[in-house]
């Protein structure tokens, strides 16, 4: 910011005016009159530049070459080969075989008579050892109650003979005559033999020969020629010209203000829906009965491509062939190439977020805006 102007108020007092951000109050007089810089239009600033103008100049570029001329022809190609001569013969083929010769024989098979044994009773005895905890050992106190808790408990053991009567078989023998029977069976043996048969066969031999065929061919020769192409040369010249840009024009605008200056935008409880989805993570402000929303949050939710140019604080948004261009503090916007006025200029609120009137922002990208005063909701639709 810089000190750039001295104004005289209605009471004759001199007031030093501090010019600030676009659209912001720059000073306050001793009475109820305040002044602010406001953009009233734009002007063109042009500087002399030298730019290069180029044009394409066509020309013919040729080079010497040779081309190949070929004619179709036929040549005979022979290669040594061989062919098979075959004749039918009959040969005798024999194989060694074995045949089975069997004869019937009778053999006698006998079994001894039934086995009989004497059954007697014998007494069998064996020694068995039994142990119990030693009552004199203090380590066995719990063991006497039927619980073994100490593995160091000593035992008292005694051997005792146990006997029982067991029936056993003795003096076994076969009694009665043998039982015999005659069994008839075949006894076979392998006898070597030879089996022969006449087999028709074919005997072949290789006979030298020559195979020839007609082959399609080409006879070619090199012929001098020239190849030409149209090429383009780029010819450039320096041409003096002008480079112009739009520069905003500002003027000091007086307005009524109180002791606290102009009224700041107030937070609003209005809820915004874009295509049925609530716009979240963005505060909504209200100023002069208009809703202010952050440009980037709204445009990107609508699906627009947003570009911010920090050099001159310009915002460019594009959606479905629609383009809107605005600058912070400027009441002039460019919509689809046409300049239009904005009731409230884009303003920095909350340390960096740029806000703009909701209806102007949405309708600039051909979106439909509907406000429900009863529920304090705004519905924006791009369908």
């Amino acid at each position: 910011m810089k000190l750039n102007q001295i104004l005289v108020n209605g009471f004759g007092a001199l007031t030093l005016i501090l010019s600030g951000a676009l659209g912001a109050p720059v000073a306050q007089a001793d009475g109820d009159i305040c002044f602010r810089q406001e953009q009233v239009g734009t002007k063109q600033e042009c500087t002399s530049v030298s730019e290069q103008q180029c044009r394409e100049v066509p020309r013919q570029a040729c080079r010497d070459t040779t081309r190949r001329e070929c004619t179709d022809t036929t040549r005979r190609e022979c290669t040594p080969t061989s062919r098979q001569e075959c004749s039918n013969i009959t040969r005798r083929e024999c194989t060694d075989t074995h045949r089975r010769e069997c004869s019937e024989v009778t053999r006698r098979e006998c079994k001894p008579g039934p086995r009989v044994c004497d059954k007697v009773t014998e007494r069998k005895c064996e020694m068995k050892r039994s142990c119990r905890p030693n009552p004199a050992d203090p380590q066995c106190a719990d063991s006497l109650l039927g619980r073994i808790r100490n593995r160091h408990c000593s035992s008292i053991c005694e051997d005792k003979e146990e006997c029982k009567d067991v029936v056993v078989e003795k003096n076994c023998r076969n009694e009665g005559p043998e039982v015999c029977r005659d069994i008839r069976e075949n006894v076979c043996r392998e006898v070597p033999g030879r089996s022969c048969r006449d087999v028709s066969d074919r005997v072949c031999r290789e006979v030298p020969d020559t195979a020839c065929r007609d082959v399609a061919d080409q006879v070619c020769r090199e012929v001098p020629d020239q190849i030409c192409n149209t090429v383009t040369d780029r010819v450039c010249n320096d041409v003096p010209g002008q480079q112009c840009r739009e520069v905003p024009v500002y003027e000091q605008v007086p307005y009524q203000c109180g002791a606290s200056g102009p009224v700041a935008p107030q937070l609003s409880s209005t809820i915004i829906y874009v295509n049925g989805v609530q716009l979240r993570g963005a505060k909504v402000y209200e100023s002069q009965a208009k809703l202010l929303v952050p440009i980037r949050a709204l445009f990107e939710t609508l699906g627009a491509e947003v570009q911010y140019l920090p050099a001159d604080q310009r915002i460019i948004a594009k959606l479905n062939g629609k383009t809107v261009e605005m600058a912070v503090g400027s009441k002039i916007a460019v919509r689809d190439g046409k300049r239009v006025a904005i009731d409230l200029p884009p303003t920095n609120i909350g340390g960096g977020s740029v806000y703009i009137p909701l209806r102007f922002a949405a309708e600039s990208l051909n979106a439909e805006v509907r406000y429900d005063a009863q529920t304090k909701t705004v519905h924006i639709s791009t369908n």
Side-chain angles (χ1 to χ4, degrees):
M1 297 187 294
K2 62 181 180 178
L3 299 173
N4 67 344
Q5 191 175 7
I6 299 177
L7 296 180
V8 181
N9 63 14
F11 299 96
L14 292 176
T15 303
L16 191 64
I17 303 302
L18 180 67
S19 84
L22 297 177
V26 294
Q28 182 175 337
D30 293 338
D32 295 326
I33 303 299
C34 292
F35 296 89
R36 66 170 177 245
Q37 275 195 339
E38 189 169 296
Q39 183 177 347
V40 295
T42 59
K43 65 177 182 179
Q44 273 199 342
E45 279 189 358
C46 299
T47 57
S48 296
V49 295
S50 178
E51 63 176 321
Q52 202 175 53
Q53 288 187 353
C54 300
R55 59 193 178 90
E56 304 291 339
V57 179
R59 64 179 177 84
Q60 285 279 324
C62 298
R63 62 185 178 87
D64 292 331
T65 184
T66 57
R67 58 185 175 82
R68 192 173 178 83
E69 278 188 355
C70 299
T71 56
D72 294 331
T73 184
T74 303
R75 60 184 175 83
R76 191 160 183 82
E77 191 177 78
C78 297
T79 55
T81 184
S82 62
R83 56 186 176 81
Q84 273 196 341
E85 283 188 352
C86 299
S87 59
N88 295 324
I89 63 169
T90 301
R91 60 184 176 83
R92 190 159 184 80
E93 189 177 78
C94 297
T95 56
D96 292 332
T97 62
H98 288 82
R99 57 187 176 82
R100 192 177 182 81
E101 285 187 353
C102 298
S103 60
E104 190 176 87
V105 297
T106 302
R107 63 181 178 84
R108 190 165 184 79
E109 186 179 80
C110 295
K111 291 183 178 180
R115 187 176 178 81
V116 178
C117 296
D118 297 330
K119 293 183 179 181
V120 296
T121 301
E122 293 182 351
R123 189 168 185 80
K124 289 188 176 181
C125 298
E126 61 180 2
M127 298 299 291
K128 287 191 176 180
R129 171 166 286 198
S130 61
C131 298
R132 68 179 185 278
N134 186 1
D137 190 347
Q139 300 288 344
C140 301
D142 291 336
S143 299
L144 296 175
L145 299 177
R147 300 187 301 274
I148 298 176
R149 296 184 179 177
N150 195 329
R151 59 189 179 90
H152 299 292
C153 171
S154 62
S155 301
I156 298 175
C157 299
E158 60 181 5
D159 294 331
K160 185 179 181 181
E161 185 180 40
E162 289 186 359
C163 298
K164 63 179 179 178
D165 294 333
V166 179
V167 177
V168 295
E169 291 183 345
K170 288 187 174 182
N171 303 321
C172 293
R173 61 197 176 274
N174 292 322
E175 292 185 352
E178 283 185 340
V179 178
C180 298
R181 64 190 180 113
D182 293 332
I183 298 176
R184 298 177 64 85
E185 60 183 12
N186 281 330
V187 176
C188 298
R189 64 189 183 92
E190 296 290 333
V191 179
R194 190 170 181 82
S195 175
C196 296
R197 64 190 181 95
D198 291 332
V199 179
S200 296
D201 204 352
R202 191 172 180 80
V203 177
C204 298
R205 64 190 182 92
E206 296 291 333
V207 179
D209 202 352
T210 302
C212 297
R213 63 190 180 97
D214 290 332
V215 180
D217 202 355
Q218 277 190 335
V219 177
C220 299
R221 62 191 182 92
E222 299 292 334
V223 180
D225 202 353
Q226 195 175 56
I227 295 178
C228 296
N229 295 317
T230 301
V231 297
T232 303
D233 293 332
R234 188 175 179 82
V235 179
C236 299
N237 297 312
D238 289 333
V239 179
Q242 282 189 330
Q243 186 176 21
C244 300
R245 64 187 182 94
E246 293 287 333
V247 179
V249 178
Y250 301 96
E251 69 177 17
Q252 297 286 345
V253 179
Y255 66 94
Q256 296 292 328
C257 62
S260 60
V263 178
Q266 301 296 315
L267 275 173
S268 173
S269 61
T270 303
I271 301 174
I272 299 174
Y273 291 91
V274 178
N275 291 329
V277 179
Q278 183 177 348
L279 181 66
R280 297 184 180 273
K283 295 180 180 179
V284 180
Y285 287 87
E286 189 171 344
S287 177
Q288 301 182 24
K290 296 184 182 299
L291 291 176
L292 303 180
V293 292
I295 289 180
R296 184 174 292 278
L298 176 63
F299 282 172
E300 289 184 348
T301 304
L302 286 170
E305 177 187 345
V306 183
Q307 183 182 9
Y308 177 68
L309 305 176
D312 48 4
Q313 292 188 304
R314 277 192 307 137
I315 303 100
I316 302 173
K318 298 178 181 179
L319 177 65
N320 297 333
K322 294 286 183 181
T323 303
V324 61
E325 185 175 339
M326 295 161 282
V328 175
S330 174
K331 283 190 174 182
I332 305 298
V334 179
R335 188 162 59 191
D336 295 332
K338 296 181 181 179
R339 293 159 55 86
V340 294
I342 314 176
D343 293 336
L344 292 175
T347 308
N348 283 312
I349 301 177
S353 297
V354 179
Y355 281 72
I356 193 170
L358 169 65
R359 185 173 293 276
F360 176 83
E363 291 180 349
S364 294
L365 296 180
N366 206 27
E368 181 183 347
V369 181
R370 181 170 55 85
Y371 177 68
D372 190 338
Q374 188 174 5
T375 59
K376 292 198 72 175
T377 57
V378 176
H379 298 270
I380 304 174
S381 175
T382 57
N383 299 328

